[in-house]
Amino acid sequence: MRGGASAGHPRWGSAGTTPRSLSTGSSPRGSEPASEDGEELVEVTLDLQDDDTIVLRSVEPAAAAALGSGSGALRLPVPARGELGDCGASSSSSRSPSMRRTSSYRLLQLSQELMAGARHFSHDLTRRFSRSHSHSRDEAHQQPSSGIESALAARAARRQRAQLDRTRSGAHRALRGLRFISSNKASNAWREVQANFDRLARDGYLSRSDFAECIGMTESKEFAVELFDTLSRRRQMKLDTISKEELREIWQQITDNSFDSRLQIFFDMVDKNADGRIGEAEVKEIIMLSASANKLSRLKEQAEEYAALIMEELDPEELGYIELWQLETLLLQKDTYVNYSQALSYTSQALSQNLALRKKGSIRKIGNSLIYYLEDNWKRLWVLALWIGIMAGLFTWKFIQYRERYVFKVMGYCVTTAKGAAETLKLNMAIILLPVCRNTITWLRNTRAARVLPFDDNINFHKTIAAAIVVGVILHAGNHLVCDFPRLIRSSEEMYAPLGIYFGETKPTYLALIKGVEGVTGIIMVVCMIIAFTLATRWFRRSLVKLPKPFDKLTGFNAFWYSHHLFAIVYVALIVHGQFLYLIRVWYRKSTWMYLAVPVCLYLGERILRFFRSGSYAVRLLKVAIYPGNVLTLQMTKPATFRYKSGQYMFVQCPAVSPFEWHPFSITSAPGDEYLSIHVRQLGDWTRELKRVFSAACEPPVSGKSGLLRADETTKKTLPKLLIDGPYGSPAQDYGKYDVLLLVGLGIGATPFISILKDLLNNIIKMEEEEDTSTDLYPPIGRNKPHVDLGTLMRVTTRPRKVLKTTNAYFYWVTREQGSFDWFKGVMNEIADMDQRNIIEMHNYLTSVYEEGDARSALITMLQALNHAKNGVDVVSGTKVRTHFARPNWKKVLAKIASKHPYAKIGVFYCGAPVLAQELAKLCHEFNGKCTTKFEFHKEYF
């Protein structure tokens, strides 16, 4: 049988695995240290072996036993089910796990004999205990037994002071803690667990290795296996397989609503030898297990240090162990340690202060939603309306024009539709260049045009125009190829005769029309557009489409970059195509070049400017660092003429990787810094090659430093050359016009906001210094005070003072990898040190760690709070900023900010995946309709 129970070997037996313990005190009232006649009483713990022999386990004074337990009565471990009969409850002890009484005749008889003879040998055992106990304490601790007694007394007193408040709120808080199965899975998940059992079980039994998958802990298999072993120890199960009935019992235990039950299971996971005490080695083991389940590799490396920290906090008496009540105290009272970067909470007070929660009618809701939508999108709407209106006007104008010409009698509405579409194509092929004239847009951002034009949506507008071009090409080329030309060829000689001045005296064939200049240039444009548009889609540009070699070169950013430069061929063919039109002979009616002249010249001017400017921006690399998570940091000198704002980005070229490609990266240094810095995440083919080039130029770190590859100006190896171009504008550069900032970055998306945080703090410090300087220039005025001369007064009052509108900033950084926090560790610590007025509130979120309350992260949560309270450092990020687990509740975040800053204008800036952008934009709309705070959402585009 595969793991089944065989004859003579009961599945729940203890056959030589774990000896059973009997513990009895010589006093029937275990709480009394001595009998009425003054005799010293002791507590004797015996091991009952399977061969009915008894082995002395320990002897302790009854006083010490009384401190650790409420009773000195007979205590037995959980008996084997089916072996000893039904069990009842018994007294618990800090010395051993909760036990049950048994009605077994053999054990009952033994206990009666022990109780009857206890008084007769208590004196002898006391003398023996005193000698052996004193000798062992002298060797191990070099202290008298009175020191142990005082330590035990101190711990007993501390236990009484640490009695937890079992109020309704406390119980509710406890129910949320130490969940082995997440709340959304535990409700109706037994059916799914049963289905998994039926799928994974063999011969009716589930193996230990499949337990994690069966209960839904696939991502933390080691933790699930340890949980299996713990519950096996509690039941004295010796086999590695369980039946469905046994799985049902285990499931009920780990999903039990009783907090005490879940706490006992967690305690037993740590208490490997089941003696009711947790030593430092056991704490270290559970730290490593929790770190492994949450993918915290660095926490595993420091497990020994953190285990010592927990023992120092929970075992001040230095007894070398902690008990269940101490673990419970740390778990439920961890919030007393957490006095830094508290997570925002969604309270009823927040709602009553600022959120209007009155019910509104459906008509009023629709009206308010429409008003808020118009307020947030009026710039986009009027530009789109103007653009669509112009296209509609051009289409209609050309449609009517050809409707009145003779050609309409031959080709019908095919020619009018084709010519109308052609007119819109001329317009769109001209204006599609404007959104990518980045220098022009950056300059316009600083003018009054920014009040009415949505410069933040330039790339989206570029994509929208491209979609309109696709529609125009289909209407124009499609009507010519499948409608115009066939009708012209099939027309009679009489009908064709008036068109001979355009197509020749002889009626052309279909192939002749295709082979003409108009046809060839049209086909060239269509083919180039299909290639460029296809490779620019998200599936190809982000390499989501996997093609076999050598076609895999058609995916990735490089393919997008080079294919997009086919536009040069498209514009040349378009100009030629516009000069050889079939139905137009007068030059001034050939208007294609008129549409293209200004935009093409503007774009060419920008490219020429970028070429010469990048050559003048000679930068020298100061520092290179390769961080975990495939992030490359480049720190370089700042050219004297390179002036930028926080939130802006620049283009970078590395000739060693590609002499043609320029890629945009956010500037992470502040304008006041003496250097430029960028952080490059390895996401595509160009960034992978860039990392490879710089990795070859880096040298190993000095001993004692982090395990990162580094290089600086003292490096003997020659660093690759780097060219920069910029800066270019982005939505985040206008952060100064908002009262409060909410900065949200996902992974590498935090880069544009690091510069903003540094710049904001630098500006605040500079303003405070200016205020202090102006105060020093004003001598004290008043009775018996010297008079202020006019020159000093004029010098102070005429000095321009910088007014900073932004008063607070909230930074939320969400990442999946612990190593990501190394990217900006120095910056975040610097901000935490300099921000004495608590202007900037920073929150780190690590999604690889299970949410607070999950048993897999419970010990990490306790350790995190304890370490920060004692050392001021977060154990996860290694910074002074607290790391929260799982993902933020954005509704709660916005609600708290809205209640804290009523009537404020809040700029919400986001850089990351589009999915969260939609959620944040929707929440901003909702809150704008509920509260007095005004949220404005902006997403970073490149």
Side-chain angles (χ1 to χ4, degrees):
M1 293 180 63
R2 186 182 177 277
S6 58
H9 295 282
R11 289 183 53 79
W12 301 102
S14 58
T17 56
T18 305
R20 300 184 298 279
S21 299
L22 291 173
S23 180
T24 179
S26 57
S27 170
R29 302 178 303 274
S31 59
E32 297 180 3
S35 63
E36 295 179 359
D37 56 1
E39 293 180 338
E40 288 191 20
L41 303 182
V42 296
E43 178 178 329
V44 184
T45 302
L46 305 174
D47 284 342
L48 177 62
Q49 304 295 323
D50 287 341
D51 57 357
D52 290 337
T53 60
I54 299 177
V55 178
L56 178 64
R57 180 175 177 182
S58 65
V59 182
E60 294 185 356
L67 292 172
S69 64
S71 174
L74 178 66
R75 295 189 299 278
L76 295 173
V78 179
R81 187 174 58 177
E83 175 186 275
L84 300 179
D86 298 334
C87 300
S90 72
S91 304
S92 62
S93 171
S94 63
R95 172 90 178 161
S96 57
S98 301
M99 307 299 181
R100 299 180 182 178
R101 294 185 183 273
T102 177
S103 57
S104 170
Y105 175 79
R106 181 169 60 88
L107 292 178
L108 181 61
Q109 183 181 24
L110 176 62
S111 64
Q112 291 174 349
E113 292 174 357
L114 287 173
M115 294 293 291
R119 288 184 178 272
H120 296 287
F121 58 83
S122 61
H123 287 292
D124 180 59
L125 288 175
T126 301
R127 289 193 299 271
R128 189 179 305 171
F129 166 77
S130 299
R131 288 194 301 269
S132 62
H133 189 70
S134 176
H135 179 69
S136 63
R137 290 300 184 186
D138 288 341
E139 289 183 349
H141 301 287
Q142 296 297 324
Q143 61 182 15
S145 58
S146 60
I148 299 298
E149 294 176 358
S150 62
L152 291 172
R155 175 166 291 192
R158 192 160 59 87
R159 180 179 184 180
Q160 293 177 356
R161 292 194 302 267
Q163 292 298 320
L164 301 177
D165 181 17
R166 293 289 185 173
T167 61
R168 182 174 301 178
S169 60
H172 177 70
R173 198 165 54 246
L175 287 177
R176 294 183 300 171
L178 276 180
R179 295 186 305 271
F180 291 94
I181 303 297
S182 59
S183 56
N184 59 340
K185 291 184 178 180
S187 55
N188 296 314
W190 172 242
R191 294 181 181 178
E192 182 179 348
V193 173
Q194 279 184 308
N196 292 337
F197 180 90
D198 296 335
R199 177 172 55 87
L200 300 171
R202 296 184 180 180
D203 299 330
Y205 289 95
L206 179 74
S207 68
R208 176 174 175 266
S209 59
D210 293 330
F211 179 72
E213 184 178 356
C214 185
I215 66 173
M217 281 192 180
T218 309
E219 296 182 354
S220 49
K221 188 174 181 179
E222 293 182 12
F223 190 90
V225 169
E226 185 61 40
L227 180 62
F228 180 92
D229 293 342
T230 299
L231 296 175
S232 300
R233 287 197 303 269
R234 296 180 72 183
R235 302 299 303 273
Q236 297 184 355
M237 183 173 64
K238 70 174 184 178
L239 300 178
D240 290 340
T241 58
I242 55 175
S243 65
K244 182 179 289 187
E245 292 75 16
E246 295 161 352
L247 176 64
R248 175 69 175 179
E249 293 180 9
I250 290 177
W251 180 259
Q252 289 176 346
Q253 292 182 59
I254 63 179
T255 58
D256 194 342
N257 285 332
S258 169
F259 172 75
D260 293 328
S261 174
R262 298 197 299 263
L263 177 64
Q264 185 66 59
I265 294 176
F266 186 78
F267 186 86
D268 292 343
M269 289 183 68
V270 188
D271 184 18
K272 296 296 182 64
N273 57 4
D275 63 350
R277 298 174 176 181
I278 300 177
E280 186 171 337
E282 293 170 317
V283 173
K284 176 185 175 182
E285 188 173 347
I286 196 64
I287 288 176
M288 296 186 67
L289 182 65
S290 299
S292 177
N294 292 278
K295 301 180 179 64
L296 301 176
S297 56
R298 295 188 180 179
L299 197 64
K300 294 175 65 175
E301 298 172 1
Q302 298 176 285
E304 185 173 352
E305 174 186 346
Y306 293 140
L309 177 65
I310 290 180
M311 295 300 296
E312 177 185 350
E313 174 68 16
L314 298 184
D315 183 29
E317 300 86 8
E318 298 183 359
L319 293 176
Y321 64 88
I322 59 177
E323 300 169 288
L324 178 65
W325 66 269
Q326 294 164 290
L327 187 67
E328 182 182 15
T329 302
L330 181 60
L331 178 65
L332 294 184
Q333 294 184 346
K334 68 178 186 303
D335 292 338
T336 59
Y337 298 102
V338 184
N339 55 0
Y340 58 98
S341 297
Q342 286 285 353
L344 299 180
S345 59
Y346 191 65
T347 62
S348 57
Q349 180 183 5
L351 295 177
S352 62
Q353 285 179 352
N354 198 24
L355 303 184
L357 298 180
R358 291 179 298 176
K359 294 184 178 180
K360 300 178 182 179
S362 57
I363 298 178
R364 188 174 180 181
K365 283 183 178 179
I366 295 174
N368 288 339
S369 299
L370 181 60
I371 292 173
Y372 299 132
Y373 179 80
L374 293 175
E375 287 181 355
D376 290 338
N377 298 279
W378 68 271
K379 293 182 182 179
R380 302 182 184 95
L381 292 175
W382 86 261
V383 171
L384 287 175
L386 177 64
W387 172 59
I388 294 173
I390 294 175
M391 284 196 303
L394 291 173
F395 184 92
T396 304
W397 169 62
K398 194 58 69 171
F399 186 94
I400 294 174
Q401 187 181 83
Y402 276 83
R403 175 68 177 78
E404 296 176 352
R405 294 183 61 177
Y406 174 79
V407 71
F408 176 74
K409 296 181 180 180
V410 179
M411 299 182 180
Y413 285 103
C414 298
V415 69
T416 56
T417 304
K419 290 299 181 180
E423 206 67 21
T424 64
L425 280 172
K426 297 176 187 177
L427 171 70
N428 289 329
M429 289 298 293
I431 65 176
I432 197 173
L433 296 174
L434 298 179
V436 291
C437 292
R438 301 176 186 269
N439 287 289
T440 304
I441 291 177
T442 302
W443 173 71
L444 289 175
R445 281 179 178 274
N446 299 320
T447 66
R448 294 184 179 181
R451 300 178 182 179
V452 294
L453 293 176
F455 292 120
D456 295 348
D457 296 302
N458 61 320
I459 299 300
N460 285 335
F461 191 44
H462 178 79
K463 296 177 181 178
T464 304
I465 297 173
I469 290 175
V470 172
V471 176
V473 168
I474 293 173
L475 291 176
H476 178 71
N479 276 282
H480 277 323
L481 294 175
V482 302
C483 188
D484 289 351
F485 294 168
R487 291 189 66 166
L488 178 65
I489 296 169
R490 291 195 303 265
S491 64
S492 63
E493 295 296 334
E494 295 78 10
M495 292 285 291
Y496 174 75
L499 299 178
I501 59 174
Y502 303 115
F503 299 97
E505 295 182 1
T506 305
K507 186 167 53 175
T509 62
Y510 190 86
L511 183 59
L513 292 173
I514 297 296
K515 290 171 62 178
V517 176
E518 300 88 338
V520 172
T521 54
I523 292 174
I524 290 175
M525 286 189 290
V526 170
V527 171
C528 290
M529 286 181 180
I530 290 174
I531 295 174
F533 288 2
T534 301
L535 298 183
T537 58
R538 180 174 176 268
W539 298 279
F540 284 87
R541 183 163 49 90
R542 294 295 180 92
S543 299
L544 300 179
V545 177
K546 303 299 180 182
L547 299 176
K549 293 183 178 181
F551 300 103
D552 58 335
K553 298 295 183 181
L554 297 177
T555 63
F557 190 86
N558 280 348
F560 157 74
W561 176 263
Y562 289 113
S563 65
H564 238 58
H565 283 76
L566 292 173
F567 81 92
I569 300 175
V570 172
Y571 277 97
V572 171
L574 179 59
I575 294 174
V576 174
H577 185 81
Q579 295 300 313
F580 289 88
L581 298 178
Y582 283 118
L583 299 174
I584 297 177
R585 287 287 181 258
V586 183
W587 71 270
Y588 57 83
R589 289 186 179 178
K590 299 177 181 180
S591 57
T592 303
W593 66 273
M594 301 178 187
Y595 282 95
L596 300 179
V598 174
V600 169
C601 290
L602 180 62
Y603 183 79
L604 289 177
E606 287 229 352
R607 298 300 298 232
I608 294 172
L609 173 64
R610 290 181 60 179
F611 175 77
F612 287 105
R613 186 172 59 184
S614 61
S616 64
Y617 284 163
V619 296
R620 180 168 48 88
L621 285 171
L622 301 175
K623 180 180 177 182
V624 177
I626 301 176
Y627 288 103
N630 293 321
V631 169
L632 174 68
T633 300
L634 301 176
Q635 190 178 108
M636 65 204 78
T637 57
K638 182 169 64 173
T641 57
F642 192 93
R643 296 182 178 87
Y644 65 97
K645 296 180 180 180
S646 290
Q648 291 185 332
Y649 64 95
M650 65 182 182
F651 279 86
V652 177
Q653 184 198 76
C654 182
V657 178
S658 172
F660 306 108
E661 295 183 45
W662 291 84
H663 293 261
F665 297 99
S666 297
I667 304 174
T668 53
S669 55
D673 293 337
E674 298 179 353
Y675 59 88
L676 288 173
S677 66
I678 59 172
H679 288 65
V680 181
R681 178 74 181 271
Q682 180 181 316
L683 293 174
D685 38 18
W686 187 87
T687 52
R688 281 195 297 268
E689 184 64 16
L690 184 73
K691 181 191 173 185
R692 187 195 65 79
V693 168
F694 277 98
S695 297
C698 288
E699 291 185 349
V702 184
S703 59
K705 301 290 185 181
S706 62
L708 308 177
L709 295 173
R710 297 182 181 274
D712 52 37
E713 53 187 344
T714 61
T715 305
K716 296 180 180 180
K717 296 182 180 180
T718 303
L719 295 173
K721 183 181 179 181
L722 210 64
L723 301 177
I724 66 171
D725 177 55
Y728 293 101
S730 69
Q733 76 175 59
D734 299 324
Y735 76 89
K737 69 180 184 180
Y738 294 99
D739 303 317
V740 179
L741 301 178
L742 174 57
L743 311 175
V744 180
L746 262 62
I748 199 64
T751 51
F753 307 131
I754 295 297
S755 177
I756 292 177
L757 294 176
K758 293 174 65 178
D759 187 48
L760 179 62
L761 193 59
N762 290 340
N763 289 336
I764 292 172
I765 294 174
K766 187 181 296 184
M767 286 181 58
E768 293 177 348
E769 291 176 352
E770 289 179 357
E771 292 178 0
D772 294 340
T773 303
S774 62
T775 303
D776 294 339
L777 290 175
Y778 276 108
I781 303 174
R783 186 175 300 175
N784 300 326
K785 301 291 179 70
H787 181 68
V788 180
D789 62 281
L790 183 60
T792 301
L793 183 61
M794 291 297 294
R795 186 166 61 252
V796 174
T797 56
T798 57
R799 176 181 298 177
R801 292 186 181 181
K802 184 177 180 181
V803 178
L804 189 64
K805 186 177 182 180
T806 305
T807 58
N808 290 90
Y810 299 88
F811 175 53
Y812 283 79
W813 186 14
V814 185
T815 184
R816 291 179 296 180
E817 301 172 355
Q818 183 187 12
S820 303
F821 297 120
D822 288 348
W823 306 344
F824 309 113
K825 180 185 293 186
V827 176
M828 300 186 81
N829 283 332
E830 181 183 357
I831 293 174
D833 290 334
M834 297 174 62
D835 187 17
Q836 301 298 327
R837 296 170 54 186
N838 296 323
I839 294 170
I840 299 173
E841 188 174 299
M842 296 181 292
H843 297 267
N844 294 336
Y845 278 83
L846 187 61
T847 58
S848 67
V849 181
Y850 293 94
E851 61 183 346
E852 295 182 13
D854 195 294
R856 287 165 286 189
S857 63
L859 194 65
I860 298 175
T861 304
M862 290 185 276
L863 178 61
Q864 180 194 45
L866 181 60
N867 189 71
H868 198 284
K870 285 185 170 293
N871 304 319
V873 177
D874 183 78
V875 297
V876 177
S877 65
T879 68
K880 298 181 179 180
V881 182
R882 180 189 178 188
T883 300
H884 307 284
F885 302 148
R887 291 174 173 82
N889 187 323
W890 296 111
K891 188 173 184 180
K892 295 180 180 180
V893 171
L894 266 67
K896 181 65 177 182
I897 295 177
S899 65
K900 192 174 181 180
H901 304 281
Y903 303 100
K905 187 178 180 182
I906 299 179
V908 181
F909 296 92
Y910 170 75
C911 186
V915 177
L916 182 55
Q918 297 174 3
E919 179 183 351
L920 289 175
K922 183 179 179 181
L923 286 173
C924 289
H925 287 305
E926 291 180 2
F927 277 92
N928 285 341
K930 293 180 180 179
C931 62
T932 58
T933 306
K934 173 66 175 178
F935 290 93
E936 290 189 11
F937 178 76
H938 303 275
K939 184 183 184 302
E940 293 290 324
Y941 297 98
F942 293 107

